[in-house]
Amino acid sequence: MSDRLQELEALATQVRGCQKCPLGRLRVRAVPGEGPPDAEILFIGEGPGYHEDQQGRPFVGSSGQLLESLLTSIGLTRQQVFIANVIKCRPPNNRDPLPDEIDACRTYLDRQIEIIDPLLIVTLGRFSMARFFPPTARITRIHGQPLPLEGRIVLPLYHPAAVLRNPEWHQDLQKDFATIPALVASIRQQRSASQASDEPDDLEQLTLF
Ligand code: SF4
Ligand code: URA
């Protein structure tokens, strides 16, 4: 097993046993997230809903169906991307997660980002957007605008559930999704260019000795 896979599995085991906030006692199953350990794209939703809580898997309800069809529209399957959430256990009656719960859960997502080291992070909805953007940022204004951050790009999108409630946003979400392949390609290119420019330095160093 690769190191990354092993680390992600260890983290998922920790999440499944976590009682760091009151949601730990209310869940049926924790939802650590899933996907390839070396995924180029990490999607971050809000938190598990009813079906996710039942199955222990992210985005398996109606939001998940919309997410899958959007992925298909850009030539991807859900098996090719990593899908996680800000909060790993379902808030009762799907209420918004509380600030204390988000804080308690923070380290799990932070570690997932570190381990996977994705080229592109796609935030779905305002709770995951708030992880990377200032509190004054409004999703209706900044959706689809890529933010370069620490050698990757963060792309804030509408949450699929919000689009199911507000069908007039569907076209925006589709358009924003369509920008994903080019964004990934640009970061991929940047990273390989910076790796290539490191190599001659190493060689020069070697010739000194
Ligand atoms: Fe732990 Fe996060 Fe679940 Fe709270 S929501 S119990 S912090 S895994
Ligand atoms: N909505 C989310 O934000 N996350 C899920 O996993 C499912 C629905």
Side-chain angles (χ1 to χ4, degrees):
M1 211 189 323
S2 78
D3 287 356
R4 289 205 233 190
L5 182 56
Q6 225 163 10
E7 283 184 68
L8 285 172
E9 302 234 312
L11 195 67
T13 303
Q14 245 181 302
V15 167
R16 291 188 191 103
C18 181
Q19 294 291 343
K20 281 201 290 180
C21 86
L23 299 181
R25 281 190 303 279
L26 302 172
R27 71 181 172 229
V28 175
R29 292 193 194 197
V31 183
E34 63 187 30
D38 56 353
E40 291 190 321
I41 311 175
L42 168 63
F43 286 86
I44 307 174
E46 179 179 321
Y50 173 83
H51 295 283
E52 291 77 21
D53 180 56
Q54 292 288 316
Q55 297 182 36
R57 297 183 56 208
F59 283 93
V60 290
S62 50
S63 294
Q65 277 178 13
L66 178 51
L67 181 61
E68 279 183 41
S69 79
L70 288 160
L71 284 168
T72 304
S73 75
I74 56 168
L76 291 174
T77 63
R78 67 176 279 153
Q79 286 75 30
Q80 291 175 289
V81 300
F82 203 99
I83 306 176
N85 282 303
V86 166
I87 200 132
K88 311 301 191 192
C89 304
R90 183 190 180 213
N93 303 314
N94 300 343
R95 66 154 167 75
D96 287 349
L98 303 173
D100 283 353
E101 295 162 353
I102 294 174
D103 278 348
C105 212
R106 178 174 303 272
T107 53
Y108 297 125
L109 181 59
D110 286 348
R111 276 297 290 149
Q112 286 174 318
I113 296 171
E114 262 175 39
I115 297 168
I116 299 162
D117 188 22
L119 302 181
L120 177 69
I121 292 177
V122 180
T123 64
L124 301 170
R126 57 200 169 93
F127 286 96
S128 82
M129 182 180 86
R131 196 64 165 235
F132 306 96
F133 293 83
T136 49
R138 288 291 162 266
I139 196 160
T140 46
R141 301 189 58 155
I142 69 160
H143 70 86
Q145 296 176 25
L147 172 76
L149 188 72
E150 294 164 2
R152 61 173 68 96
I153 283 177
V154 182
L155 181 68
L157 300 191
Y158 284 126
H159 195 290
V163 168
L164 291 171
R165 285 192 303 270
N166 303 279
E168 69 274 17
W169 290 345
H170 192 253
Q171 223 185 0
D172 280 341
L173 182 59
Q174 239 168 353
K175 273 196 216 156
D176 293 346
F177 239 84
T179 66
I180 288 177
L183 288 174
V184 173
S186 74
I187 295 290
R188 206 189 281 133
Q189 209 172 14
Q190 265 178 40
R191 283 210 192 173
S192 61
S194 69
Q195 270 167 9
S197 71
D198 283 349
E199 275 158 24
D201 285 356
D202 291 347
L203 286 178
E204 275 167 38
Q205 294 264 331
L206 281 176
T207 57
L208 289 176
F209 298 98

